[in-house]
Amino acid sequence: MNDSTNETIATVGLGTGGPEVGVQGLGCMGMSWAYGPTHDEAEARATLERALELGVTLFDTADVYGFGRNEEFISPFVRANRDRITLATKFAIERDESDPFGRQRIRNDRPYIRQAVEGSLRRLGVDHIDLYYMHRRNPEVPLEESVGAMAELVAEGKVKHLGLSEVTANELRAAHAVHPIAAVQSEWSLFSRDIEESVVGAARELGVALVPYSPLGRGFLTGSFVQAEQELGEDDFRRHQPRFTGDNAAANAALLEPLRKIAEARGATLAQIALAWVQQQAEVHRLAVVPIPGTRTRARIEQNTGATRIELSADELAALEPIAGQVAGARYADMSATSAGRE
């Protein structure tokens, strides 16, 4: 297995003027929300420490993950290693805790932003956030208001750098004109490539880094499950996503065969090849790319970081190229809050 557990990963600048971070980050959401319960919190905390040992320095959370509990969960680790990590969190999504995967409200107004940042600072136990994202875009609120409010937080020292999530190319350009944007976080994987149509080009043009979330297709690209409704618990977000249920799931599982062949030939895992593909998009598209796969175990973080040292050949890239175009089902049941829903 290709893990190289004793090697630290390389680093890259997170956008023009942004912080230097490991070329792979860690998405912390699943440690306390969305993917079922964390049965071993001690192992999850040990995973945070192991990630840092391996050179992972970008740790990503959001106020909506577990309704603040994810920020609280990583707080002790963040405070103990404050000068060694780049802390990212997000605002904008309001949900009803009694219906965590149901209807959401998107808030981009100035009063809400100021309220949200104070809540995150309190839960995280820090005096500033390194990278503060607008989690989703509400088109009814002018970007000048939203990004202007975020810029005020930079001027006040509460935030160091600004990020956006699931924005269109035009929205990115408009926001960047108000205040420099360090990173755009959007779904990007072998199964989800819609951002390549215009967002990636705009990010390259502006010197903005791409931070792909769900680079493993929410675990589907690892082969760990096929039918979400049958294999995953009631409190797992993936049961509500079209790609992982019914006929779509069976059709999509068949698309993993090229991935499987490459992994077997290299003595690697499916996850490593899928992550290597995402990491290699930095070279393909000539911009900084820092994926944030999530995991709750040290063994997985060792495998994931090992993927940063795999370079896929032209033939391997060609074999993987058709996958995204054949995927059945949308990324979300409601795509209106995504960049693709507004392009």
Side-chain angles (χ1 to χ4, degrees), residues 85-120:
I85 71 171
T86 297
L87 170 65
T89 192
K90 317 178 198 71
F91 72 89
I93 300 177
E94 282 189 327
R95 289 185 182 273
D96 183 346
E97 192 160 1
S98 66
D99 184 19
F101 305 132
R103 186 179 179 85
Q104 64 182 27
R105 183 183 181 199
I106 299 174
R107 297 282 304 273
N108 291 171
D109 54 283
R110 176 179 268 104
Y112 180 78
I113 293 171
R114 299 199 70 87
Q115 171 190 325
V117 75
E118 295 300 337
S120 287

Side-chain angles (χ1 to χ4, degrees), residues 186-200 213-215 221 243 277-278 281 284-285 316-327 331 335 339-340:
S186 285
E187 187 166 358
W188 198 6
S189 73
L190 283 168
F191 265 30
S192 302
R193 298 180 58 180
D194 50 78
I195 65 165
E196 294 174 33
E197 293 180 21
S198 61
V199 177
V200 170
Y213 72 81
S214 297
L221 288 165
R243 291 184 171 176
W277 181 88
V278 178
Q281 298 314 297
V284 172
H285 293 281
E316 289 169 331
L317 289 172
L320 298 171
E321 182 64 25
I323 292 175
Q326 301 174 55
V327 173
R331 294 198 273 130
M335 289 285 286
S339 59

Side-chain angles (χ1 to χ4, degrees), residues 219-271:
F220 195 87
L221 288 165
T222 71
S224 61
F225 73 97
V226 175
Q227 289 286 352
E229 289 175 309
Q230 298 172 17
E231 300 174 52
L232 304 178
E234 290 286 344
D235 54 355
D236 196 303
F237 171 61
R238 292 167 289 187
R239 291 169 58 95
H240 305 275
Q241 294 187 291
R243 291 184 171 176
F244 309 139
T245 56
D247 292 341
N248 287 348
N252 291 336
L255 300 178
L256 301 184
E257 193 54 33
L259 191 65
R260 208 177 304 277
K261 288 181 178 178
I262 294 169
E264 288 175 358
R266 282 181 169 266
T269 66
L270 273 69

Side-chain angles (χ1 to χ4, degrees), residues 32-51:
S32 56
W33 194 63
Y35 293 164
T38 296
H39 297 293
D40 190 343
E41 287 194 1
E43 177 63 19
R45 295 189 186 282
T47 300
L48 294 168
E49 298 288 351
R50 184 64 176 135

Side-chain angles (χ1 to χ4, degrees), residues 5-6 24 44 53 67 70 84 96-97 117 119 121 124 133 135 145 193 236 249 266 293 298 308 340:
T5 57
N6 293 319
Q24 186 180 112
E53 290 174 358
F67 303 91
N70 195 248
R84 301 172 62 197
D96 183 346
E97 192 160 1
V117 75
L121 289 170
L124 288 159
Y133 287 103
H135 204 164
E145 176 181 344
R193 298 180 58 180
D236 196 303
R266 282 181 169 266
R298 286 169 287 183
T308 68

Side-chain angles (χ1 to χ4, degrees), residues 176-188:
H176 197 74
V178 177
H179 187 280
I181 302 299
V184 167
Q185 185 175 137
S186 285
E187 187 166 358
W188 198 6

